[in-house]
Amino acid sequence: HIECSSDSTYFVTIEFTHQHTSDSFDLHLRSGVFGSFAYSDLPLTLELPVEPFSHQLIKVVDGDDPHCFKAIEFVVDCGEPNDCKILELEAFHIECSSDSTYFVTIDFFHQHTGDSFDLHLRSGVFGSFSYQDLPLTLELSIEPFDYQLIKVFDQDHHDCFKAVELVVDCHSSGISDNELKGIEVYPNPVSNLINIQTTSTGSYDYLIYDSQGRLMQSGRVSTDHSIKIGNWPTGPYFLHLRDGNGSQVHIIIKN
Protein backbone atom coordinates (compact mmCIF):
# COMPACT_ATOMS: atom_id res chain seq x y z
CA HIS A 1 0.00 0.00 0.00
CA ILE A 2 2.46 2.65 -1.21
CA GLU A 3 0.66 5.94 -1.87
CA CYS A 4 2.26 9.26 -2.73
CA SER A 5 0.70 12.00 -0.62
CA SER A 6 2.61 14.99 -2.05
CA ASP A 7 5.82 15.84 -3.85
CA SER A 8 7.76 15.24 -0.65
CA THR A 9 6.12 12.38 1.29
CA TYR A 10 4.41 9.05 0.74
CA PHE A 11 2.52 6.56 2.88
CA VAL A 12 3.43 2.89 3.17
CA THR A 13 1.76 0.20 5.28
CA ILE A 14 3.75 -2.69 6.75
CA GLU A 15 2.46 -5.93 8.28
CA PHE A 16 4.09 -9.20 9.39
CA THR A 17 3.65 -12.16 11.71
CA HIS A 18 5.93 -12.73 14.71
CA GLN A 19 6.68 -15.44 17.26
CA HIS A 20 8.41 -15.46 20.65
CA THR A 21 9.17 -11.74 20.42
CA SER A 22 9.15 -8.98 23.01
CA ASP A 23 6.41 -6.32 23.14
CA SER A 24 8.00 -3.89 20.68
CA PHE A 25 10.32 -3.56 17.69
CA ASP A 26 12.71 -0.97 16.24
CA LEU A 27 12.13 0.13 12.66
CA HIS A 28 15.14 1.06 10.52
CA LEU A 29 15.26 2.77 7.12
CA ARG A 30 18.26 2.94 4.84
CA SER A 31 19.13 6.29 6.43
CA GLY A 32 19.03 4.92 10.01
CA VAL A 33 16.65 4.22 12.89
CA PHE A 34 13.13 5.56 12.26
CA GLY A 35 11.48 4.73 15.59
CA SER A 36 10.14 2.11 17.99
CA PHE A 37 6.65 0.63 17.84
CA ALA A 38 4.53 -1.96 19.64
CA TYR A 39 3.68 -5.19 17.82
CA SER A 40 0.07 -4.41 18.76
CA ASP A 41 0.26 -1.38 16.39
CA LEU A 42 0.37 -3.68 13.34
CA PRO A 43 -0.57 -3.15 10.56
CA LEU A 44 1.43 0.07 10.75
CA THR A 45 1.13 2.99 8.31
CA LEU A 46 4.18 5.26 7.99
CA GLU A 47 4.62 8.63 6.32
CA LEU A 48 8.12 8.79 4.83
CA PRO A 49 10.02 11.38 2.78
CA VAL A 50 10.08 10.88 -0.98
CA GLU A 51 13.43 10.19 -2.64
CA PRO A 52 12.69 9.70 -6.36
CA PHE A 53 13.79 6.32 -7.69
CA SER A 54 15.11 5.40 -4.23
CA HIS A 55 15.41 1.74 -3.35
CA GLN A 56 14.05 2.13 0.16
CA LEU A 57 14.88 -0.40 2.87
CA ILE A 58 12.65 -1.17 5.84
CA LYS A 59 14.14 -3.38 8.54
CA VAL A 60 12.31 -4.59 11.64
CA VAL A 61 14.42 -5.59 14.68
CA ASP A 62 12.92 -7.04 17.85
CA GLY A 63 13.38 -4.67 20.80
CA ASP A 64 14.99 -7.31 23.03
CA ASP A 65 16.80 -9.54 20.49
CA PRO A 66 18.88 -7.86 17.74
CA HIS A 67 19.34 -11.26 16.08
CA CYS A 68 15.58 -11.45 15.44
CA PHE A 69 14.90 -9.26 12.42
CA LYS A 70 13.46 -9.08 8.92
CA ALA A 71 14.08 -6.65 6.05
CA ILE A 72 12.38 -5.74 2.78
CA GLU A 73 13.55 -3.52 -0.08
CA PHE A 74 11.15 -1.75 -2.42
CA VAL A 75 11.03 1.01 -5.03
CA VAL A 76 9.40 4.38 -4.37
CA ASP A 77 8.80 6.61 -7.37
CA CYS A 78 6.36 9.48 -7.01
CA GLY A 79 7.47 11.04 -10.30
CA GLU A 80 6.51 10.07 -13.84
CA PRO A 81 5.65 6.35 -14.05
CA ASN A 82 7.38 3.94 -16.39
CA ASP A 83 6.32 0.47 -17.50
CA CYS A 84 9.70 -1.26 -17.13
CA LYS A 85 9.40 -4.56 -15.27
CA ILE A 86 11.79 -7.35 -14.32
CA LEU A 87 9.85 -10.40 -13.16
CA GLU A 88 10.44 -13.85 -11.64
CA LEU A 89 14.21 -13.65 -11.26
CA GLU A 90 15.51 -17.15 -10.51
CA ALA A 91 18.96 -18.53 -9.69
CA PHE A 92 19.34 -22.27 -10.32
CA HIS A 93 21.74 -25.01 -11.40
CA ILE A 94 24.25 -24.11 -8.69
CA GLU A 95 27.31 -26.27 -9.33
CA CYS A 96 30.64 -26.10 -7.51
CA SER A 97 33.46 -26.10 -10.07
CA SER A 98 36.45 -26.06 -7.68
CA ASP A 99 37.40 -25.14 -4.14
CA SER A 100 37.19 -21.46 -5.08
CA THR A 101 34.43 -21.02 -7.67
CA TYR A 102 30.91 -22.16 -8.52
CA PHE A 103 28.52 -21.77 -11.45
CA VAL A 104 24.99 -20.42 -11.17
CA THR A 105 22.45 -19.78 -13.93
CA ILE A 106 20.01 -16.88 -13.76
CA ASP A 107 16.92 -16.21 -15.84
CA PHE A 108 13.92 -13.87 -15.65
CA PHE A 109 11.15 -12.20 -17.66
CA HIS A 110 11.33 -8.52 -18.62
CA GLN A 111 8.99 -5.96 -20.13
CA HIS A 112 9.56 -2.45 -21.55
CA THR A 113 13.26 -2.57 -20.68
CA GLY A 114 16.31 -1.25 -22.50
CA ASP A 115 18.75 -3.52 -24.33
CA SER A 116 20.94 -4.47 -21.36
CA PHE A 117 21.10 -4.76 -17.58
CA ASP A 118 23.65 -4.36 -14.79
CA LEU A 119 24.20 -7.28 -12.45
CA HIS A 120 25.16 -6.65 -8.81
CA LEU A 121 26.32 -9.08 -6.14
CA ARG A 122 26.42 -8.46 -2.42
CA SER A 123 30.03 -7.30 -2.84
CA GLY A 124 29.21 -4.79 -5.60
CA VAL A 125 28.79 -4.49 -9.38
CA PHE A 126 29.62 -7.70 -11.27
CA GLY A 127 29.09 -6.59 -14.87
CA SER A 128 26.72 -5.56 -17.69
CA PHE A 129 24.91 -7.99 -19.98
CA SER A 130 22.44 -8.05 -22.86
CA TYR A 131 18.94 -9.39 -22.24
CA GLN A 132 19.61 -11.57 -25.29
CA ASP A 133 22.23 -13.43 -23.21
CA LEU A 134 19.51 -14.95 -20.99
CA PRO A 135 19.57 -17.51 -19.49
CA LEU A 136 22.99 -16.42 -18.23
CA THR A 137 25.50 -18.69 -16.48
CA LEU A 138 27.94 -16.97 -14.10
CA GLU A 139 31.13 -18.22 -12.46
CA LEU A 140 31.38 -16.69 -8.99
CA SER A 141 33.78 -16.95 -6.06
CA ILE A 142 32.93 -19.33 -3.23
CA GLU A 143 32.37 -18.03 0.27
CA PRO A 144 31.33 -20.92 2.55
CA PHE A 145 27.76 -20.57 3.82
CA ASP A 146 27.52 -17.22 2.04
CA TYR A 147 23.98 -15.96 1.47
CA GLN A 148 24.75 -14.52 -1.93
CA LEU A 149 22.66 -11.69 -3.34
CA ILE A 150 22.08 -11.29 -7.07
CA LYS A 151 20.37 -8.08 -8.19
CA VAL A 152 19.47 -7.08 -11.75
CA PHE A 153 19.03 -3.40 -12.78
CA ASP A 154 17.79 -2.24 -16.17
CA GLN A 155 20.40 0.14 -17.59
CA ASP A 156 17.82 2.64 -18.85
CA HIS A 157 15.61 2.60 -15.72
CA HIS A 158 17.56 2.18 -12.47
CA ASP A 159 14.30 2.04 -10.52
CA CYS A 160 13.48 -1.13 -12.51
CA PHE A 161 15.19 -4.01 -10.70
CA LYS A 162 14.75 -7.40 -9.09
CA ALA A 163 16.82 -9.31 -6.53
CA VAL A 164 17.17 -12.90 -5.37
CA GLU A 165 19.15 -14.32 -2.44
CA LEU A 166 20.65 -17.81 -2.58
CA VAL A 167 22.60 -20.17 -0.37
CA VAL A 168 25.99 -21.41 -1.60
CA ASP A 169 27.76 -24.20 0.29
CA CYS A 170 30.44 -26.07 -1.65
CA HIS A 171 31.97 -27.66 1.44
CA SER A 172 29.27 -30.11 2.49
CA SER A 173 26.27 -32.04 1.26
CA GLY A 174 24.13 -30.96 4.16
CA ILE A 175 26.24 -30.64 7.32
CA SER A 176 29.25 -28.42 7.76
CA ASP A 177 32.76 -29.59 8.66
CA ASN A 178 32.24 -28.14 12.15
CA GLU A 179 29.05 -30.05 12.87
CA LEU A 180 26.90 -28.85 15.73
CA LYS A 181 26.04 -31.54 18.27
CA GLY A 182 22.91 -32.29 20.26
CA ILE A 183 20.34 -30.82 17.84
CA GLU A 184 17.22 -32.64 16.69
CA VAL A 185 14.88 -31.24 14.02
CA TYR A 186 11.49 -32.91 13.54
CA PRO A 187 9.10 -33.88 12.03
CA ASN A 188 10.25 -34.24 8.44
CA PRO A 189 8.20 -33.98 6.26
CA VAL A 190 6.41 -31.21 8.14
CA SER A 191 2.95 -29.71 7.67
CA ASN A 192 2.79 -26.91 10.26
CA LEU A 193 5.53 -26.68 12.92
CA ILE A 194 9.26 -27.34 12.68
CA ASN A 195 10.45 -28.41 16.13
CA ILE A 196 14.07 -27.75 17.10
CA GLN A 197 15.26 -29.53 20.23
CA THR A 198 18.74 -28.99 21.68
CA THR A 199 20.60 -30.59 24.56
CA SER A 200 22.87 -27.63 25.19
CA THR A 201 22.06 -24.47 27.15
CA GLY A 202 23.38 -22.20 24.40
CA SER A 203 21.48 -20.50 21.60
CA TYR A 204 21.70 -20.66 17.82
CA ASP A 205 20.95 -18.34 14.92
CA TYR A 206 18.65 -19.89 12.33
CA LEU A 207 17.81 -19.00 8.74
CA ILE A 208 15.35 -20.78 6.46
CA TYR A 209 15.66 -20.54 2.67
CA ASP A 210 13.39 -21.88 -0.05
CA SER A 211 14.62 -23.87 -3.05
CA GLN A 212 15.31 -20.64 -4.98
CA GLY A 213 17.55 -19.29 -2.21
CA ARG A 214 15.04 -16.73 -0.90
CA LEU A 215 15.25 -16.06 2.83
CA MET A 216 11.89 -17.02 4.34
CA GLN A 217 12.53 -16.50 8.05
CA SER A 218 15.36 -15.92 10.51
CA GLY A 219 15.78 -15.63 14.25
CA ARG A 220 17.41 -17.18 17.29
CA VAL A 221 16.57 -20.43 19.10
CA SER A 222 17.57 -21.99 22.42
CA THR A 223 16.67 -25.32 24.08
CA ASP A 224 13.22 -26.17 22.60
CA HIS A 225 11.72 -24.03 19.85
CA SER A 226 8.97 -24.35 17.23
CA ILE A 227 8.79 -22.49 13.92
CA LYS A 228 5.40 -22.14 12.23
CA ILE A 229 5.41 -22.67 8.45
CA GLY A 230 1.82 -23.82 7.92
CA ASN A 231 1.04 -21.17 5.29
CA TRP A 232 4.22 -21.75 3.23
CA PRO A 233 4.07 -23.45 -0.21
CA THR A 234 4.88 -27.15 -0.32
CA GLY A 235 8.41 -28.18 -1.31
CA PRO A 236 11.96 -28.30 0.07
CA TYR A 237 13.42 -25.70 2.45
CA PHE A 238 16.92 -25.32 3.90
CA LEU A 239 17.21 -24.74 7.64
CA HIS A 240 20.61 -23.31 8.65
CA LEU A 241 21.64 -23.40 12.30
CA ARG A 242 24.86 -21.82 13.49
CA ASP A 243 26.70 -20.52 16.53
CA GLY A 244 30.29 -19.49 17.22
CA ASN A 245 31.48 -23.11 16.97
CA GLY A 246 29.96 -24.38 13.76
CA SER A 247 27.02 -24.68 11.40
CA GLN A 248 24.48 -27.27 10.35
CA VAL A 249 22.06 -27.49 7.44
CA HIS A 250 18.83 -29.52 7.39
CA ILE A 251 16.71 -30.10 4.28
CA ILE A 252 13.07 -29.81 5.36
CA ILE A 253 10.19 -31.02 3.19
CA LYS A 254 6.94 -29.04 3.59
CA ASN A 255 3.87 -31.13 2.70
Side-chain angles (χ1 to χ4, degrees), residues 5-253:
S5 56
S6 69
D7 291 339
S8 59
T9 62
Y10 66 96
F11 291 101
V12 60
T13 300
I14 65 169
E15 171 71 302
F16 55 88
T17 57
H18 54 97
Q19 298 176 351
H20 309 294
T21 58
S22 64
D23 295 330
S24 62
F25 61 91
D26 297 326
L27 194 143
H28 298 234
L29 304 180
R30 192 177 300 281
S31 56
V33 178
F34 182 78
S36 297
F37 303 89
Y39 287 102
S40 59
D41 292 334
L42 294 169
L44 180 65
T45 299
L46 309 169
E47 186 174 13
L48 303 179
V50 170
E51 297 178 20
F53 307 104
S54 171
H55 309 296
Q56 182 60 275
L57 177 74
I58 289 181
K59 183 176 182 180
V60 172
V61 182
D62 184 70
D64 288 350
D65 186 355
H67 297 283
C68 180
F69 67 91
K70 190 73 174 179
I72 185 172
E73 190 175 32
F74 58 98
V75 174
V76 178
D77 178 11
C78 292
E80 292 297 324
N82 70 69
D83 296 326
C84 176
K85 293 181 180 178
I86 294 175
L87 307 167
E88 299 182 28
L89 172 62
E90 293 184 339
F92 51 93
H93 295 160
I94 300 172
E95 180 179 347
C96 299
S97 54
S98 69
D99 290 338
S100 59
T101 60
Y102 66 96
F103 291 103
V104 61
T105 300
I106 66 166
D107 200 4
F108 54 89
F109 296 103
H110 55 98
Q111 299 174 352
H112 308 293
T113 58
D115 295 327
S116 57
F117 61 91
D118 295 326
L119 193 144
H120 295 223
L121 303 179
R122 193 177 299 282
S123 56
V125 179
F126 182 78
S128 298
F129 303 90
S130 169
Y131 288 104
Q132 295 180 352
D133 294 333
L134 294 170
L136 178 66
T137 298
L138 309 169
E139 185 173 14
L140 306 178
S141 298
I142 290 172
E143 298 179 21
F145 304 103
D146 177 39
Y147 308 102
Q148 182 59 272
L149 179 72
I150 293 179
K151 186 181 289 187
V152 171
F153 288 88
D154 183 71
Q155 284 196 343
D156 291 350
H157 310 91
H158 274 196
D159 60 322
C160 181
F161 74 99
K162 194 73 173 179
V164 64
E165 196 172 35
L166 62 145
V167 178
V168 179
D169 176 11
C170 291
H171 292 267
S172 74
S173 58
I175 299 177
S176 70
D177 295 335
N178 296 322
E179 179 183 350
L180 298 176
K181 305 295 184 181
I183 298 178
E184 183 180 1
V185 178
Y186 65 94
N188 195 12
V190 58
S191 59
N192 187 32
L193 294 176
I194 301 174
N195 298 305
I196 302 174
Q197 187 173 22
T198 69
T199 58
S200 73
T201 57
S203 58
Y204 305 88
D205 293 321
Y206 77 86
L207 304 99
I208 304 177
Y209 291 82
D210 68 7
S211 60
Q212 300 299 324
R214 292 182 287 259
L215 180 63
M216 301 293 293
Q217 188 170 321
S218 63
R220 196 164 182 84
V221 298
S222 58
T223 314
D224 297 331
H225 191 87
S226 295
I227 302 171
K228 187 175 182 179
I229 64 168
N231 61 344
W232 292 10
T234 59
Y237 293 87
F238 299 88
L239 168 63
H240 289 246
L241 295 165
R242 60 190 183 187
D243 65 4
N245 299 315
S247 303
Q248 193 175 84
V249 183
H250 295 261
I251 301 176
I252 305 296
I253 305 299

